[in-house]
Amino acid sequence: MSVSRNILLASSAIVCAVSSQAEAAAQTRQFSIDAQPAETAISILGRQGDVQVIAARKVTRSIRTNAVRGEMSVGEALDRLLSGTGLAARQLGNGSYAIVTRSPSTTVTSRPVALTRASALTPVSEMTPVAAATAPAAAPEEAMQDAPAQQPEIVVSGFRGSLVRAQDIKRKSINLTESILAEDMAKMPDLNLSESIQRLPGVAISREGGEGRNITLRGFAPDFTRTTLNGMEVPASSDGLDSGGFTINAGRAFDFHIFASELFNRVDVQKTQRASIEEGGIAGTVDLYSAKPFDFNKPQAVISAQGGYNSITRKVDPRVTAMLSDQFADGRVGVLVSAAYSERTVYQEGFGSVRWTSPFVNGDSWADTNPVVSGTPVDCPAADNLDCLWAPRLPRGDFFGNNQKRLGLTGSLQFRPTDTLEVSFDGLFSRLENDRLSYNSMEWLLTHGPAGNFVGQTPRSFTIAPDGKQLIAASFDDVTSWYESRHQTSVSKFQQYVASAKWQASDNLKLDVMAGKARDAADREELRFYARSVPHFYSYDFTKNQDVPVLNYGNYDPNNAANFINALTAANRLNKVIKDNFTTKGNLVLEAGNITARTGVAYSRRSVAYSEAQGNLPSFAPQTYLQPFPISNFGKGVVSGGLPTFAVFDFDKVGASNLISDTYTPNTAAGWEVIEKTLGGYGEVTGEFDLGGMVLRANGGVRYVKTNIDSRATIAGSAVSVKRSYDNFLPSLNLALNITPDIVARAAYARSMTRPGLGSLNIAAPTFEYTTRTVGNLGNPDLKPYLSNDYDVGLEWYFSKGGLVAVGLFKKDIISSLSTAVVTKPVPQEYWQAIYADPRYDASYNADPAKVPYTFFQAVNTPGGNSVKGVEVTLNAPFTFLPGVLSYFGVASNYTHVSARDSTGLSPNSYNFTGYFDTGSMGIRVSVNKRDDYLLSEPGGNGHVQERKYGPTHVDLSAYYNITPKLTLTVQGINITNEKERIYGTGDGSQYLGREFSRTGAQWFVGARYQF
């Protein structure tokens, strides 16, 4: 039996060798491989040559291969690559090779090798689709002994292939890293970067207007996550809705939606720190990468076009992408350009209350009109128990309409003048334009008491909820409408330019340098009016729906312009935020056997400048400028039958009038600038050690950084600049133990930091009170950063062909944080001149800042703080073990549980689930993302114990079909279930009192993609 088997295997090997040699002689490939360590070079050659190459780590360790360029056969390329290295390639079968030690006694085995999965230590191309897999084996016989027998690795593409490549990056990283890779050129798996990132464990996103905006990583607010683009930290800002909490993002949070996702082909999320990773992100660091021409081994061109349809707007919007990459001069020069343009029309429709409150909390009481009362109120401290009942402050129908245009451009120029030097120039430009119309039909229940002067009301009936705490229904006479209309236009322009170089000075010494500049300029112009009506009847009833009541206006017509007798201009202003980042850094890497030492230095300058200007605010008769509600089918995507319409302002008529002046007056007192300069250096050592038949990969180091702050503003007409500095040492250690080729255990410790929010540092518009010697609304440039001790442990099992089960535990202990406190201290000298110049200051107040202390109400550093701990579980399983067509199915899923002392922005539980069917020529996947409700603020506004946001369940779909190898049809659906969005208050802590309820509709895209 043994003899027969050997004869059969030997015959098979001879046939495979002969046929593959003939094929290799007939076919040539284009190769472009630098001189580099053998492990990396062999992997790249396998993919560029579209062959299987197996190589054991102990054979290739510490060996450097030659450069290979040009068109040639795979055999010739292997000969050139390995010439003079002491290694040789042995052909095993059709398109498969083994790398062995070259010696006179080396012989070719008489049986083919069962190839294994890629070694956890073998580098994999991170920027191009995998063309072939590699496997750990020194020689064919050794491969058979070290690995379980299995079928040759099947090269996969499409969505499944992107998952496999992302897992390769995770597997090979010593620190904990999660990655997302494009399925192909200019094809990220989602339409928005944040929506792609949310599929990773530990990540949740906040949405605005139906689109992802910021990310929450491991329970930390967006300010605690640092974002880089092509190697340098970058800013990104845009304006937002009132519910987002800001006019324009002037903080550290990164607004992912300003970029078209097609501009990027890879995203890494660094969850544990390394000394070589720049500081600033306690939660982690998100690294974005745009494509470069040397990512591809042949000319590439792609164009795609889609039409988008939204179920609420019922409009079709275009989306177009193009990308071109080529290499010249025998592969020594590469050029890549890409462009992405899209338009998006979104309606966010719903009902809101602008929070609930009670007369008792508000400091007043209902008018004494003896209403009919159904139900019994609970006893409370008020003289009348009815005054403790919660009711909506400004119940209103909400419409937010946005016409968005987004343009993105990238360019990359790469040179390889020698085999040891590579130089890159990269640029990225993005422009996001928003044209927004917002309409709100507010009824004045904000203050209570007798009606008159556009406020107050006359209660007629109250229906009390079963808990005795809220007015679930009520009717009133003499209610005034304050109908709000807003027109906002905004532009966010981002541009980045980066120059970088990599130089292989010798076999063991490598140097890389980078210098880059990025600017984000975001501005918004807002015009807002209130139209105030005659008093009228109004009732609401939440009995059947806790979010959207039944409304009744009696004989009053809210669409009739004649019912409105007064108008106010509530806002006429310009806001602008400019963020500039400059970074230059260099890294020196020394390789000595299994040890790699790395050191480097980085300098960054970040600045944020905020300014605003004010226009005139006239009061006028509104009838001429009002129109019936201009949006058809209002609210039909929210509730059955839709929502009541109402009169709104016609901004074209307003613009044609002389009501609003074109002149704006700068508000210099509100403007501010914060400049932050950092200089840091690090030392880091990475090693690989045999440990009882296992392989331990270790990385440890320390980073030192000095931070200089300059906070500037104009106070009482005087220019004030406050300068401060601090420094930090940040040690880190990462361990990855390859228990087997398929099982990796991890442990990590690091001291991490996040600098204070820019709002806490800005010193604009303080309030000095001289009679009481108090200071309010003053930022504190003396603040030091948040500091955290971070701990991670995990276990990962890589199975089958792309399968993964991973469990990770993490804990982040904040040892230094910020809180608001009352502090009595001397006034810093930088403010004295402004105080003396203030017309309100008088020496008789005995408030000379040079002589007496003041009491400050401001943010200060405090020991201790939030403690966040959690568990992340990942299960990715391609069903390759099933027969036939079932083998093309699979799932990619993860679950995260996080708990913290301060739970603001934190969803205790979140999960992502993607089920897919992918053959490489056609596929479909459905993704479900769910997060728990999360805390917005505590205490909440208007007397609420908390204000919270609903954790939605979003369902997305993507499908493709390759008509030809070059032409692909695509269908994508975003929020296909038209999920609701809700913000609510908790009243006394036990209630649900809706603030906002809305929907944005299902978004569908149908298109085609052609790759030349």
Side-chain angles (χ1 to χ4, degrees), residues 610 612 667-673 711-718 720 759 761-769 775-779 831 834 838 840 857:
Y610 171 80
E612 66 179 52
N667 184 0
T668 55
W672 55 270
E673 182 179 18
S711 186
R712 304 174 181 178
T714 299
I715 303 175
S718 300
V720 177
L761 300 174
N762 106 66
I763 59 174
T767 55
F768 293 101
E769 297 296 339
V775 183
N777 195 44
L778 180 63
Y831 302 104
D838 189 346
R840 297 184 304 112
F857 300 84

Side-chain angles (χ1 to χ4, degrees), residues 411-444:
S412 181
L413 179 64
Q414 289 187 288
F415 299 94
R416 198 178 278 131
T418 70
D419 290 340
T420 60
L421 178 64
E422 181 177 293
V423 181
S424 300
F425 299 94
D426 297 283
L428 190 148
F429 172 83
S430 182
R431 180 183 176 94
L432 177 68
E433 298 180 28
N434 290 304
D435 190 341
R436 296 183 170 125
L437 288 170
S438 300
Y439 304 126
N440 308 112
S441 62
M442 297 185 294
E443 307 299 337
W444 191 273

Side-chain angles (χ1 to χ4, degrees), residues 217-221 282 788-791 809-814 865-871 897-904 906:
L217 179 58
R218 288 187 158 186
F220 283 89
I282 284 179
S788 173
N789 286 325
D790 304 336
Y791 307 90
L809 304 175
F810 65 88
K811 183 177 182 181
K812 293 179 181 287
D813 279 330
I814 305 296
N866 195 15
S867 177
V868 178
K869 57 185 177 181
V871 57
H897 174 77
V898 183
S899 62
R901 287 201 295 266
D902 176 7
S903 61
T904 302
L906 182 150

Side-chain angles (χ1 to χ4, degrees), residues 140-273:
E141 291 289 345
E142 188 174 326
M144 284 295 285
Q145 296 167 5
D146 293 344
Q150 57 183 11
Q151 295 298 317
E153 187 77 22
I154 298 174
V155 178
V156 292
S157 58
F159 178 69
R160 180 183 291 185
S162 70
L163 289 177
V164 171
R165 301 199 304 277
Q167 286 180 190
D168 283 339
I169 295 173
K170 177 185 179 76
R171 187 178 190 175
K172 295 167 179 57
S173 297
I174 297 181
N175 67 313
L176 181 57
T177 302
E178 309 282 358
S179 298
I180 301 170
L181 281 81
E183 300 174 33
D184 207 338
M185 289 197 317
K187 191 175 183 293
M188 286 301 287
D190 290 277
L191 300 176
N192 180 289
L193 279 181
S194 65
E195 292 162 0
S196 293
I197 298 172
Q198 74 170 332
R199 314 240 183 262
L200 298 175
V203 179
I205 69 171
S206 60
R207 292 176 184 259
E208 193 169 274
E211 186 174 24
R213 176 168 180 156
N214 305 123
I215 70 168
T216 297
L217 179 58
R218 288 187 158 186
F220 283 89
D223 278 4
F224 288 84
T225 298
R226 177 175 163 270
T227 302
T228 73
L229 172 56
N230 291 330
M232 71 166 288
E233 184 175 347
V234 290
S237 295
S238 63
D239 72 331
L241 306 179
D242 285 355
S243 57
F246 45 75
T247 303
I248 300 180
N249 175 11
R252 299 187 189 274
F254 190 88
D255 290 338
F256 286 90
H257 69 305
I258 74 168
F259 295 127
S261 62
E262 296 92 340
L263 301 179
F264 304 90
N265 63 350
R266 176 177 161 192
V267 179
D268 289 343
V269 178
Q270 311 283 350
K271 290 185 175 179
T272 60
Q273 307 294 327

Side-chain angles (χ1 to χ4, degrees), residues 7 12 87 92 138 195 287 290 307 338 358 372-373 411-412 442 608 626 645 651 683 723 762 771 810 863 936 939 964:
I7 293 173
S12 300
L87 300 180
L92 307 176
E195 292 162 0
D287 297 320
S290 59
S338 69
S358 70
V372 175
V373 178
S412 181
M442 297 185 294
V608 179
L626 290 174
T645 60
F651 284 96
K723 297 181 180 181
N762 106 66
T771 57
F810 65 88
L936 293 177
T964 72

